[in-house]
Structures are given as structure tokens and as C-alpha cells.
Amino acid sequence: MSGVTVPRSFRLWWAWAGAALLVALWLLWLPWWGAGEVPVPRGTLTILIWHWPFVSQSPELPSDTCARYGVPHCRLSTNRSLLASADAVVFHHRELQNRRTQLPLAKRPPGQPWVWVSLESPTYTHGLNRFQGIFNWVLSYRHDSDIFVPYGRLEPCEGPAPPLPAKNGVAVWVVSNFHETQRRVQLYRELAPHLPVDVFGQANRRPLCGNCLLPTIARYRFYLAFENSQHTDYITEKLWHNALTAGTVPVVLGPPRATYEAFVPPDAFVHVDDFNSTRELAAFLVGMNETQYRSYFTWRERFCVRRFKTWEERFCAICARYPHLPRDQVYQDLQGWFQT
Ligand SMILES: *[C@@H]1O[C@H](CO)[C@@H](O)[C@H](O)[C@H]1NC(C)=O
Ligand SMILES: *[C@@H]1O[C@H](CO)[C@@H](O)[C@H](O)[C@H]1NC(C)=O
Ligand SMILES: *[C@@H]1O[C@H](CO)[C@@H](O)[C@H](O)[C@H]1NC(C)=O
């Protein structure tokens, strides 16, 4: 007799347990269906972009935006209604600096991480003293940023390097923001008598169209990859795109040689600090023979240039770093940190 009753009560127990589990799952999903058009799966991080950088109209952000950059479980949104629930909120400095946008300090949920974002150099960054003790994380080109997003990097790549473009000029410089106070302008003025330099760009009323930039630069042996100002880790597309992608040798003015060597092989560029005088630098460039010139391109046998071009990709990096980001950190002196 007991051999029949025991299995029956077991079956009853399993039926109850199964029903309870279904109800629990349904209750868990319920709030997500109410939230927006597309339910956000549990475990997905929501990154709220308070103001899209530089433009008033933000781009479309399909739900698979970050997955396309290899970052799953990450949703970017510009919907400010998500302030109460976002896992992090992103503020791009330019719009704070020119007061196109304000920080929603009064509505900030307790403990919500706020991310300060800027890819500009400290020289062209103003008003940081208004933002002391507010931000938890920094996204910038500085290597010691919480979310480190360089302008580019070298990545191992397969297959033979493309042939070097044919050269018929010595040195070229593309510049739009040209001021006598800039170190790069002083250096150019000293170099020009000893080195033939063709200058393109707004500064010289010889702008290059987007598709003309690389083919034009490629015809020269050297590109003056002079940063507009010299700061910690401030290395921009002037190195990655204008010089390395074009297939020319960068002559760099920026942070010290050691910083460049942290990103590219030591024999991939000429650093202006390697010379005791500008005249010496010019003589070195003009006198370089073909064997020595070609040795600057050894990196191309193993690496390709990878640039980080879109804001979507940069913001998705927040999710990739999220598990490792410090929870209780506040930049009490953002200005002091960034301006050093
Ligand atoms: C913004 O989010 C809120 C809350 O989830 C939602 O009700 C609203 O439809 C969203 N707005 C847009 C434009 O997607
Ligand atoms: C610069 O000057 C120092 C000391 O005078 C000398 O040892 C060094 O070789 C010079 N560098 C170059 C690149 O000529
Ligand atoms: C090219 O220049 C390098 C460095 O100055 C020198 O060592 C080499 O002998 C030169 N090669 C030729 C073929 O002139």
C-alpha cells in the first residue's frame, strides 16, 4: 500500500514546485516587458549617454550596437528617462565646458557611477574646476584612465604587408590649428630652412578632402606628426592615421619617446627629442639612405593599425571594463589629475 502513496505525493510535490518556478520566472520577467519596446535581458548593463559628443542629434543605437564591437550584454542609450536605472551615465566634456548641457545632480540616484569623457588635450580643456568630487570614472586616451581608449593601436595581423607607396617628396605636414605659441609651429619654423616641407590644411589654405588625405601624405617620405600640445600619453590620429596608415615615417613631437615606445616599436618613428638641434634633425632626415628608410617599416610585417573611430565603440568599452572598475572611487581633483 505505502508503495503506491509515496510516489503519488512525490508527483504532487513536483507539480507544485514546477508551477511555483513558472510563476517566479514570470514575475521576474514582468518588469522588463513594461520598460520599453525591447525587453532588456537580466545581466545587461545600461550605459546612458547624457549628451552625444559634438552633435545635438544622437545616432540610432540598435540593441546590438556593442555586440557588433564584440561587447555583449551592453546597451547604449540616450534616453534620459533611464537616469534612475542606468548602470553608468556618461558625460562628454565639450558639452559641459560650453554649457550646452548641465549635470542632473539633483536627480542622481545614490551610488550611480558617472563617467567623465574627453579625448582632447588638457591645453584645450577648460572649466574642470567646476567638476571636482563628482565623477567616479574617466574615459580618455590617458593610459591610467579607468576606461583607456587610445586613438589607435597596433594589432598583430596576418598576411604580407602592402607595398610601400612610391615617394616623390621629402616631408609633409597637414595642419589646421596653427598658432605661433604652439611648440610645433616654432619647430616647423626652425626646420623649414633646412628641410623641404609641404604644408597642407586649413592653416595654409590648402585643405585636403577626406579621401585625398592618405594618398597625398603617402607620396612623402616623412610626416610631421606634431601634436597641438605636449601632454601625458597625448598621441592622436596624427600618428596612427596620417602617418602609420598612410605608409610614411612619422616624425613625432608629443610626449617623450618612452611613451611612444609603449605603443609602437622604437624603430617605427623618428622622435624630435632624439636630436640636439633642429638642424641635426633636418640633416638626419634629408641624408637617410634607402636601407635605413625601409627599416622604419619593419613593424608592417607583423602589425596592422587599428583605430578607435566611433563613439559607440568607445562607450561600449565601459561595459567591457565594468567588472574591474573601482566602486568607491571619486575624482576629488579631476582638474589636478588631468592637467598633470
Ligand atoms: C525612454 O524610456 C522610457 C522609460 O523606459 C520609455 O517609456 C520611453 O518610451 C523611452 N523613450 C524613447 C524615445 O525611447
Ligand atoms: C647630442 O650631444 C651629445 C653631447 O654633446 C652627444 O653625445 C650626442 O651624440 C649628440 N646626439 C646626436 C644625435 O648627435
Ligand atoms: C645607410 O645608412 C646606414 C646608417 O647611417 C649605414 O649604416 C649604411 O651603411 C648605409 N647603407 C648604404 C648602402 O649606404
Side-chain angles (χ1 to χ4, degrees):
M1 283 304 234
S2 63
V4 177
T5 38
V6 170
R8 184 176 288 161
S9 72
F10 256 116
R11 255 180 268 135
L12 205 63
W13 187 86
W14 276 110
W16 271 108
L21 189 67
L22 282 174
V23 170
L25 282 173
W26 179 74
L27 283 173
L28 280 173
W29 271 99
L30 201 57
W32 300 109
W33 287 101
E37 308 105 55
V38 185
V40 180
R42 295 174 70 75
T44 288
L45 295 169
T46 297
I47 309 297
L48 172 57
I49 319 300
W50 195 248
H51 191 290
W52 202 262
F54 302 112
V55 294
S56 42
Q57 177 79 45
S58 51
E60 289 279 306
L61 296 168
S63 56
D64 67 343
T65 299
C66 290
R68 282 192 238 165
Y69 291 112
V71 183
H73 313 300
C74 183
R75 173 175 68 152
L76 303 183
S77 176
T78 53
N79 184 344
R80 291 186 176 183
S81 310
L82 300 177
L83 178 62
S85 61
D87 295 291
V89 186
V90 166
F91 299 91
H92 181 248
H93 184 70
R94 178 62 63 86
E95 290 73 37
L96 295 174
Q97 175 174 304
N98 60 25
R99 296 178 196 264
R100 287 176 62 90
T101 194
Q102 305 287 325
L103 294 174
L105 285 165
K107 292 192 194 148
R108 182 180 192 171
Q112 182 179 62
W114 280 11
V115 188
W116 181 82
V117 174
S118 183
L119 296 182
E120 303 300 315
S121 101
T123 297
Y124 297 95
T125 301
H126 307 295
L128 276 181
N129 54 341
R130 291 195 282 135
F131 306 118
Q132 313 287 56
I134 291 174
F135 293 103
N136 307 96
W137 302 327
V138 163
L139 184 160
S140 87
Y141 59 82
R142 277 258 304 250
H143 192 251
D144 55 353
S145 300
D146 304 288
I147 303 112
F148 167 53
V149 179
Y151 279 78
R153 70 170 178 231
L154 294 187
E155 289 187 345
C157 76
E158 303 280 310
L164 264 197
K167 309 288 176 184
N168 59 13
V170 180
V172 64
W173 189 26
V174 181
V175 58
S176 46
N177 165 3
F178 184 97
H179 295 291
E180 295 297 336
T181 52
Q182 293 172 346
R183 209 177 134 209
R184 64 180 179 181
V185 169
Q186 295 159 14
L187 186 59
Y188 163 72
R189 294 235 184 270
E190 289 168 25
L191 266 178
H194 311 290
L195 180 76
V197 183
D198 274 353
V199 183
F200 292 91
Q202 290 295 349
N204 207 22
R205 298 210 175 89
R206 286 171 86 193
L208 291 171
C209 78
N211 289 335
C212 318
L213 180 72
L214 292 192
T216 304
I217 294 174
R219 293 191 282 108
Y220 293 84
R221 286 163 69 82
F222 301 100
Y223 181 77
L224 305 187
F226 292 178
E227 299 299 346
N228 64 25
S229 48
Q230 286 65 55
H231 296 282
T232 308
D233 295 343
Y234 187 61
I235 300 174
T236 68
E237 79 290 342
K238 294 169 184 66
L239 173 75
W240 299 111
H241 188 59
N242 300 18
L244 296 182
T245 305
T248 188
V249 173
V251 179
V252 302
L253 166 70
R257 169 170 271 280
T259 304
Y260 284 89
E261 290 188 5
F263 295 100
V264 295
D267 57 357
F269 61 95
V270 174
H271 198 296
V272 301
D273 293 349
D274 294 345
F275 301 89
N276 291 325
S277 73
T278 315
R279 188 184 283 253
E280 240 176 56
L281 166 63
F284 177 80
L285 298 178
V286 170
M288 191 183 292
N289 65 36
E290 203 52 28
T291 317
Q292 196 179 4
Y293 183 71
R294 296 214 159 242
S295 73
Y296 281 89
F297 295 100
T298 314
W299 64 270
R300 286 166 33 118
E301 290 158 21
R302 286 180 299 139
F303 298 107
C304 292
V305 177
R306 162 102 143 81
R307 288 164 69 219
F308 298 88
K309 285 181 287 194
T310 69
W311 286 104
E312 284 91 330
E313 181 168 24
R314 294 168 186 147
F315 294 146
C316 294
I318 299 171
C319 288
R321 288 281 304 142
Y322 201 88
H324 314 288
L325 292 170
R327 293 291 136 181
D328 299 315
Q329 171 178 278
V330 178
Y331 281 81
Q332 297 297 351
D333 185 12
L334 183 62
Q335 162 146 296
W337 176 80
F338 193 61
Q339 298 288 347
T340 50

